[in-house]
Structure formats: C-alpha cells, structure tokens
C-alpha cells in the first residue's frame, strides 16, 4: 500500500504549515481534557449498553448522533416505547444550549461556506465551544482572518477532531464493556468528577465565577423541570450575569 | 420485546432523526443565514454560556443524591456530595485529573457503604 499517496488525499496534507500546526494545537488543547471527555463518553456508552438498544444500535447512535445528553435523555423513552417523534422533540429541547453556541459558530467562522460552517457546527459540542471561546473570546475581524491563514478555523478543526475521537473511544468501550461492569459500582460518578477538572481552571476571574455560581444554583433549583430544561434556564441566568458583569467592569472583574 | 417498544426500523429512523437534531441545533444560526447579523453585545453576552452548560450538568449531580428529582430530596449523607467535595479539593491542590478521580471515587464509595 502506498501510504504517501493515501495520505495525500487527506485534507490535512493540503493545508499549509501554519494551518497544520493550528490543527495540532487544537488537538493538543482538547487532549488536555481527554480523561474528562473519555469518562463522559464511557458513562454514556455504559448507559446505552445497558439499555434496550442492541450493541449495533448503540454503536450507530454514538457514531451518528454525537450528543451525549440527548442520548441519555432518549434511553428511558426508548425503553418505555415513546414515539419516534416525541423522542426527537425531547432531543431537540435537551440540545437547546447548542442553539446558543451556534450564534458564536456563525459569527466566528462567517468566512467559511455555509455547508462547511454547518458541518463544523455539528462537531462543535460543549467541550469544543468551551475551549475555543476561552482561547479566542473576541470575534476576529474578517480582514484579519486571511493574514494568519485562518489559524483559528484550523484550531477549531483540531478541537473537533480531538473531541469526536476521544468521545467515541470512550463511548464505544463503554458500550462493549457494559455487560462486564456491575450496575452498583457508581461508575457514572467518575464522569461527573472528571468535569470538575474542566470547570475549576475556567474560574480564573470574577465574572466567570459569578456566572458559574449562578448557573450551579439555578440548575439545582430548577432540576425538577422536564427535558433537562434546567440547563437552558441555567445558561440564560448565566448570560444575564455576564451582561451585568460587562456593565459594571470594576465591581465584577 | 414488548409490543409497545420500538422496532428496529423505528430505532434506525430515530438514530437518523437524532443525528439531524444534533446538526439542526448546533448549526441553528448557520441555517438562519448571513442575513442575521449577530450584534457584538449578543456575542459578549453568551461568553459564559459554555461554562454555564457544563456547570449546569455537573452541579445537580454533585449536590443531589443519586436518583433525586428535586432539591427537596437533598441529603447530607449523599455520597455524591462528599465525593464531589473531595474531588474538588483534590483538584484544587494538585491541579491534576487523576488524584481528583481517585480521591473523589474513594470518598464516594466510602460514604456509600458506611454512611
């Protein structure tokens, strides 16, 4: 097999030096949270493996749907025999936070053709958007984007590659290992713990700490809402805090 | 298989549909098109949305006992609460993932079996 000819077909080899290093930068940035993504993927995979789905169906779901919280929300509904339409509506509402993220995807990558932006959006889950915006909070002027060979775009491709890849490894191992792991080990708690290590470093300034505290309190108080709507309410509350933090720079920063 | 559960065709349809839902939500404003100009203020306002999303996923799992549906079921003997606190402190001191997982899971398991 001619490896060089094979890899020449990959988009990566058609990118210039700067774009390739941007992609690797993104991949490296994402892999710093590999254990957290892996544990959440594994927990989601375990839940799918223990559900009414067959192994093939669970693998298909993880590979194509790529939305952990929506998958977890769908499982009990599938088990209870709800209609496909009802489960799809549920998935949409559980995914509402991504609609908010898509505002950012649209603005940051407006130079890309719409279909590429849509694909990039599909691969932009919680971790990808979190890491992109913590590295590049401000939208780059369109005129400046070309000057650095669209570094940020290729950085985002790297984030997406890492996020998807690590998530799928965890999730597939979880699905395949589900029959081996007893229910009462409390393994799902490991996924929650791993996220602490993602959150704490982000609380490095006052406005972020306020947003996080408000999001935590609101998400807990509204936990009884159906369809994980507490997440959307918590995000909206954090957005309001963010605006207030912006308005009173001295008091909140 | 129960008569009211989904057949394999319906599951396939569901998986395809959920993949489309992922695309639709994550590219929602892309599909609205370039005519919708996103004001700078909105972009600044949603700066903490991703952080809030992850905090919103984690916080109830840490504070509420497993299987609880609402805040009134909060319990001081909850293994999540103490395991989460241990994990938080472990990360605060070491800034590393592995001690966070090990200490958190140890305290979680201890509380679960002995409290």
């Amino acid at each position: 097999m001619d490896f060089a000819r094979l890899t020449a077909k990959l988009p990566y080899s058609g990118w210039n030096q700067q774009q390739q290093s941007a992609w690797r930068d993104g991949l490296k940035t994402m892999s710093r949270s590999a254990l957290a993504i892996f544990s959440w993927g594994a927990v989601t995979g375990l839940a799918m493996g223990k559900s009414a789905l067959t192994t093939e169906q669970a693998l298909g779901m993880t590979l194509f749907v790529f939305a952990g919280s929506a998958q977890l929300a769908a499982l009990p509904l599938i088990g209870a025999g709800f209609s496909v339409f009802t489960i799809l509506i549920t998935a949409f509402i559980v995914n509402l936070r991504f609609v908010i993220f898509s505002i950012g995807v649209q603005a940051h990558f407006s130079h890309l053709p719409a279909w590429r932006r849509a694909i990039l959006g599909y691969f932009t889950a919680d971790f990808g958007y979190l890491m992109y915006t913590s590295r590049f909070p401000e939208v780059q002027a369109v005129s400046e984007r070309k000057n650095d060979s669209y570094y940020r775009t290729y950085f985002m491709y790297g984030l997406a590659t890492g996020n998807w890849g690590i998530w799928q490894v965890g999730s597939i191992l979880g699905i395949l290992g589900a029959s081996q792991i007893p229910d009462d080990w409390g393994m799902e708690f490991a996924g929650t713990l791993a996220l602490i290590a993602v959150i704490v470093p982000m609380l490095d300034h006052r406005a972020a700490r306020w947003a996080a505290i408000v999001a935590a309190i609101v998400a807990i108080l509204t936990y009884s809402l159906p369809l994980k709507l507490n997440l959307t309410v918590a995000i909206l509350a954090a957005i309001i805090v963010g605006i207030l933090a912006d308005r009173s720079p001295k008091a909140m920063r | 298989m129960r008569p009211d559960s989904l057949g394999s065709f319906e599951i396939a349809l569901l998986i395809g549909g959920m993949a489309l839902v992922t695309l639709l939500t994550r590219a929602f404003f892309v599909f609205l098109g370039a005519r919708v100009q996103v004001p700078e203020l909105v972009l600044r306002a949603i700066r903490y949305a991703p952080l809030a999303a992850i905090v919103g996923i984690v916080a109830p799992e840490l504070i509420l006992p497993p299987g609880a549906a609402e805040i009134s079921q909060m319990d001081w003997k909850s293994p999540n609460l103490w395991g989460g606190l241990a994990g938080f402190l472990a990360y605060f001191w070491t800034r590393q993932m592995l001690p966070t997982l090990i200490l958190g899971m140890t305290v979680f398991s201890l509380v679960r079996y002995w409290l």
Side-chain angles (χ1 to χ4, degrees):
Chain A
M1 205 184 335
D2 189 347
F3 191 67
R5 265 220 344 244
L6 215 70
T7 52
K9 292 213 165 120
L10 294 172
Y12 184 86
S13 60
W15 298 346
N16 71 32
Q17 210 82 56
Q18 203 170 359
Q19 290 164 342
Q20 293 185 353
S21 74
W23 184 82
R24 285 196 304 270
D25 186 7
L27 195 61
K28 229 181 271 172
T29 305
M30 185 57 75
S31 59
R32 268 180 228 130
S33 293
L35 207 50
I37 300 162
F38 177 87
S39 344
W40 265 82
V43 165
T44 308
L46 271 176
M48 283 194 290
K50 288 186 180 298
S51 75
L53 297 174
T54 65
T55 303
E56 292 79 10
Q57 289 168 341
L59 289 173
M61 183 176 270
T62 188
L63 288 172
F64 293 112
V65 178
F66 186 49
S69 47
Q71 288 163 227
L72 288 176
L75 294 178
L77 303 182
I78 295 171
F82 278 80
S83 77
V84 170
F85 185 73
T86 308
I87 305 174
L88 290 180
I89 296 290
T90 306
F92 184 89
I93 296 173
V94 173
N95 275 349
L96 269 183
R97 65 185 185 282
F98 297 129
V99 171
I100 299 171
F101 297 174
S102 79
I103 298 173
V105 172
Q106 168 77 354
H108 280 277
F109 306 106
S110 57
H111 57 278
L112 291 176
W115 65 272
R116 271 189 188 234
R117 228 177 308 142
I119 293 173
L120 187 57
Y122 171 88
F123 285 104
T124 304
D126 297 290
F127 282 95
Y129 191 69
L130 180 76
M131 285 168 193
Y132 183 86
T133 51
S134 53
R135 173 84 166 263
F136 302 116
E138 311 286 338
V139 176
Q140 196 179 25
V142 178
S143 56
E144 283 172 21
R145 292 179 193 180
K146 210 174 171 180
N147 291 336
D148 62 6
S149 295
Y150 303 100
Y151 190 93
R152 295 176 181 198
T153 306
Y154 289 82
F155 176 76
M156 187 62 149
Y157 290 166
L159 289 179
T161 311
N163 196 357
W164 195 87
I166 300 162
W167 170 266
Q168 297 299 357
V169 171
S171 182
I172 289 169
L173 286 177
I175 292 169
L176 299 179
S179 54
Q180 314 294 321
I181 294 188
D183 283 338
D184 62 348
W185 273 14
M187 283 307 291
E188 62 283 352
F189 189 64
T192 309
L193 278 175
L195 286 187
I196 291 177
V198 175
I199 293 168
V200 176
M202 315 232 35
L203 309 176
D204 57 351
H205 54 287
R206 256 176 102 177
R209 285 196 283 270
W210 275 111
I213 290 168
V214 168
I217 293 172
V218 172
I220 292 167
L221 290 180
T222 59
Y223 193 63
S224 56
L225 287 177
L227 303 173
K228 298 208 185 230
L229 273 170
N230 67 323
L231 267 188
T232 307
V233 179
I235 292 171
L236 293 178
I239 286 176
I240 293 169
V241 172
I243 293 171
L244 292 176
D246 247 17
R247 288 263 164 92
S248 52
K250 272 178 196 158
M252 306 278 286
R253 241 162 230 167
Chain B
M1 195 182 268
R2 292 202 313 277
D4 63 342
S5 62
L6 299 177
S8 56
F9 173 74
E10 281 170 305
I11 295 281
L13 199 68
L14 177 69
I15 291 172
M18 283 178 73
L20 280 179
V21 167
T22 303
L23 177 67
L24 180 66
T25 49
R26 294 213 181 122
F28 196 85
F29 277 85
V30 174
F31 292 123
L32 284 190
R35 282 158 297 162
V36 183
Q37 274 291 322
V38 185
E40 189 64 30
L41 180 76
V42 174
L43 284 171
R44 237 180 298 154
I46 63 167
R47 199 166 33 171
Y48 299 111
L51 173 65
I54 294 197
V55 169
I57 291 169
V58 176
E61 309 258 345
L62 289 179
I63 302 299
L64 303 176
E70 54 179 296
I71 182 74
S72 63
Q73 287 164 283
M74 194 173 152
D75 180 2
W76 292 109
K77 288 183 177 175
S78 160
N80 296 24
L81 192 64
W82 298 109
L85 189 65
F88 184 84
L89 291 176
Y91 186 80
F92 201 77
W93 284 322
T94 64
R95 297 273 146 179
Q96 273 169 32
M97 175 74 87
L98 222 50
T100 307
L101 285 179
I102 292 170
L103 195 67
M105 281 311 282
T106 307
V107 172
F108 172 81
S109 306
L110 289 178
V111 172
R112 217 154 62 111
Y113 290 111
W114 279 302
L115 260 189

